[in-house]
Amino acid sequence: MLERADAPGLWQSVTGSQDAGETLAQTAIREVREETGLDASQFALTDWGIVMRRASRTTPSMCSGCACPMLCPSCWRRANTCNTAGCRATKPRNAVSHPAMRPRFAACPTRDFPMSIPLHIASYNIHKGLSQFNRRLTVHELRDRLGSLGTDIVFLQEVQGGHNLRLGRFPLWPKEPQHEFLAGHVYTEFAYGKNCVYDSGHHGNAILSRHKILSWENEDISAHAYESRGMLHCEIEVPGMDVPVHCINVHLGLTERGRTRQLQMIAARVRAMVPDSAPLILAGDF
């Protein structure tokens, strides 16, 4: 067993992936050598029959029903069932354990969040309401689609809060910020987190909701100066829920190192700001 350097007191076995053509015994010997420098070939090995299937080393476990990370809101332990209100999926789409998401506590109590109505969510990177290569305005089509989805909460990334040049280039460019335009008469509540500011305008993440947004805050999680990223955190009052639903909208960076750092910041905020008894929805562009 090895004690993790990034989480003192947390012990785990040596883990790794099987290379093509290797037996599991050969994989174990190689991984022990790579991670500890020890030569396990001189010892008798016992096969315990434990194999972990990984789809990715950087993507959180996603629910097959609502595409939300199936993680405990208090300790980030991957759940066997989805805790998102209204989602009844029981099988994760990816069996993944990112280092930033691994449990820091010995036990994770089961939580149940009863609701009187189901909660439907959607997440979409709208690419500033433009088609590929910024040739065509798509924000009007997006509003029509969002209005017909029947969702309660929508998580949007790359929302154009304002752009003076495009306002003059596209005759049908909305006069109001895109998040207000997309909300229309369907989503009565919205919050916008400005992440990237430039001379001609700014863009960021937005959350649209049919239910009342009690509070919201946007936290800077940029991994470096050349890629602005934010974490928009809202508390939403949902009928049938005894406590507010915490909704976090993120757009992770392009590099693995940057995403790892951002996941750590997300985990830190959840531990600090989301009560153990509160439901949490984490969505966005991962």
Side-chain angles (χ1 to χ4, degrees), residues 194-195 218-224 227-231 265:
K194 185 189 300 183
N195 297 331
N218 193 52
E219 179 178 337
D220 184 4
I221 58 170
S222 302
H224 51 78
E227 193 178 40
S228 299
R229 292 289 190 266
M231 169 172 43
M265 287 188 279

Side-chain angles (χ1 to χ4, degrees), residues 203-217:
H203 69 267
N205 300 330
I207 292 179
L208 314 180
S209 175
R210 295 176 186 262
H211 308 298
K212 184 177 181 179
I213 296 179
L214 300 175
S215 65
W216 67 272
E217 183 179 5

Side-chain angles (χ1 to χ4, degrees), residues 23-25 28 44-51:
T23 65
L24 291 177
L45 302 180
T46 301
D47 185 358
W48 288 0
I50 301 175
V51 180

Side-chain angles (χ1 to χ4, degrees), residues 140-235:
H140 293 271
E141 300 171 23
L142 288 171
R143 184 171 70 166
D144 293 340
R145 295 290 180 86
L146 290 176
S148 63
L149 283 178
T151 49
D152 297 285
I153 304 172
V154 180
F155 299 74
L156 300 176
Q157 304 83 47
E158 291 193 35
V159 178
Q160 193 80 73
H163 200 292
N164 297 330
L165 298 180
R166 288 171 180 167
L167 179 62
R169 175 187 173 188
F170 297 97
L172 296 179
W173 187 270
K175 294 181 180 180
E176 63 266 55
Q178 285 185 350
H179 58 282
E180 295 185 20
F181 176 78
L182 292 172
H185 300 293
V186 177
Y187 303 97
T188 56
E189 300 276 323
F190 49 79
Y192 169 70
K194 185 189 300 183
N195 297 331
C196 188
V197 181
Y198 29 87
D199 292 340
S200 57
H202 52 86
H203 69 267
N205 300 330
I207 292 179
L208 314 180
S209 175
R210 295 176 186 262
H211 308 298
K212 184 177 181 179
I213 296 179
L214 300 175
S215 65
W216 67 272
E217 183 179 5
N218 193 52
E219 179 178 337
D220 184 4
I221 58 170
S222 302
H224 51 78
Y226 302 102
E227 193 178 40
S228 299
R229 292 289 190 266
M231 169 172 43
L232 180 60
H233 181 185
C234 293
E235 292 185 55

Side-chain angles (χ1 to χ4, degrees), residues 2-20:
L2 302 176
E3 183 178 16
R4 293 188 58 83
D6 61 346
L10 178 62
W11 293 77
Q12 69 171 61
S13 62
V14 175
T15 60
S17 301
Q18 185 180 22
D19 289 343

Side-chain angles (χ1 to χ4, degrees), residues 88-99:
R88 298 294 181 263
T90 57
K91 295 182 179 179
R93 189 169 65 197
N94 297 325
V96 183
S97 181
H98 188 281

